[in-house]
Amino acid sequence: MDDRMKKQIEFALEIDKVKNIFRQTHLSMNGRNENDAEHSWHMALMAYLLKEYANEEIDIAKVMIMCLIHDIVEIDAGDTYAYDTEGLKTQKAREEAAKERIFSILPDEQKAEFAALFDEFEAYETAEAKFAHAMDNLQPLMLNDSNGGGDWRAHQVTAEQVYKRQGKTKLGSEKLYELTDSIIQKNIQNGNLKEA
């Protein structure tokens, strides 16, 4: 095995660790906590399935790769719950350090490619990044809804917090934001989200 392949295989084994990073969100129908690999896989398939609702023309392969790699950094940085105000303060620094360590396992040009895709996702400026983020918002929202809002109730999340997080969904897809709004409204009516 040459050095290039050795690095690629080492990276492939390293990213397997993402399966051990568990999120606050539970699988549908009150299943166990989902892991980052399941979340990323689900997002990528959702992106392909729902691509017709993107606000702009998108490179769907690029969106799917963004979905698949966006949480690799959590191998080192850990999962930061969307509504954890303290954890969010240090999230960027933790993820930047993780990005450098993990992507540095790869051959140089692949490291640059993966880091650029991760940075593009984080910057939220391109049509692809906006749509990938819409998936990152919609996927856990759907799971929370399927679980009767249990994760929101357990963390005492308010409707205002969810609307703040979901507000950017419309940048990627106005149509999917309409769905998001109806899910939030249903969960307010059902008492799963407090109105402040």
Side-chain angles (χ1 to χ4, degrees):
M1 181 166 37
D2 65 21
D3 188 55
R4 178 180 175 79
M5 185 183 288
K6 183 180 177 193
K7 289 177 179 181
Q8 291 167 324
I9 296 301
E10 184 182 346
F11 179 79
L13 189 57
E14 181 68 18
I15 64 173
D16 183 67
K17 294 176 182 174
V18 112
K19 297 173 188 173
N20 292 312
I21 307 301
F22 286 88
R23 299 165 44 82
Q24 294 298 315
T25 307
H26 287 77
L27 300 176
S28 61
M29 309 312 295
N30 299 305
R32 63 165 167 75
N33 292 70
E34 75 171 342
N35 66 45
D36 273 351
E38 293 163 331
H39 166 66
S40 298
W41 162 83
H42 201 185
M43 279 176 58
L45 281 179
M46 285 175 56
Y48 190 81
L49 177 69
L50 302 171
K51 65 186 176 190
E52 66 195 83
Y53 304 114
N55 290 342
E56 305 172 64
E57 285 292 317
I58 54 170
D59 176 345
I60 192 59
K62 188 176 190 181
V63 172
M64 292 173 75
I65 294 295
M66 282 183 184
C67 290
L68 290 169
I69 71 165
H70 82 289
D71 276 347
I72 287 174
V73 295
E74 293 186 0
I75 291 168
D76 289 356
D79 177 57
T80 304
Y81 185 51
Y83 307 107
D84 175 3
T85 52
E86 284 304 307
L88 290 170
K89 291 176 185 175
T90 63
Q91 181 181 16
K92 184 157 181 58
R94 287 182 285 117
E95 290 186 352
E96 282 296 314
K99 176 183 79 171
E100 180 59 28
R101 184 196 73 79
I102 297 165
F103 292 157
S104 289
I105 295 169
L106 287 164
D108 289 343
E109 84 281 358
Q110 286 186 315
K111 172 191 175 183
E113 178 186 1
F114 275 55
L117 283 166
F118 178 84
D119 290 342
E120 182 178 341
F121 175 82
E122 290 295 308
Y124 223 125
E125 294 171 350
T126 64
E128 288 80 13
K130 290 173 187 175
F131 194 68
H133 268 283
M135 297 303 103
D136 198 22
N137 288 344
L138 180 60
Q139 190 267 350
L141 183 92
M142 287 173 33
L143 293 183
N144 273 320
D145 181 52
S146 81
N147 289 316
D151 296 323
W152 289 318
R153 285 195 317 275
H155 293 280
Q156 299 179 333
V157 176
T158 66
E160 180 182 4
Q161 288 174 295
V162 177
Y163 270 119
K164 183 177 179 186
R165 176 168 175 78
Q166 295 288 336
K168 288 186 176 180
T169 297
K170 66 179 108 178
L171 298 176
S173 174
E174 291 279 352
K175 193 72 175 166
L176 293 176
Y177 183 76
E178 292 173 17
L179 171 64
T180 295
D181 183 50
S182 69
I183 291 171
I184 295 169
Q185 286 300 312
K186 179 178 88 173
N187 280 277
I188 291 169
Q189 291 169 5
N190 292 344
N192 299 324
L193 287 168
K194 298 179 183 181
E195 287 196 83

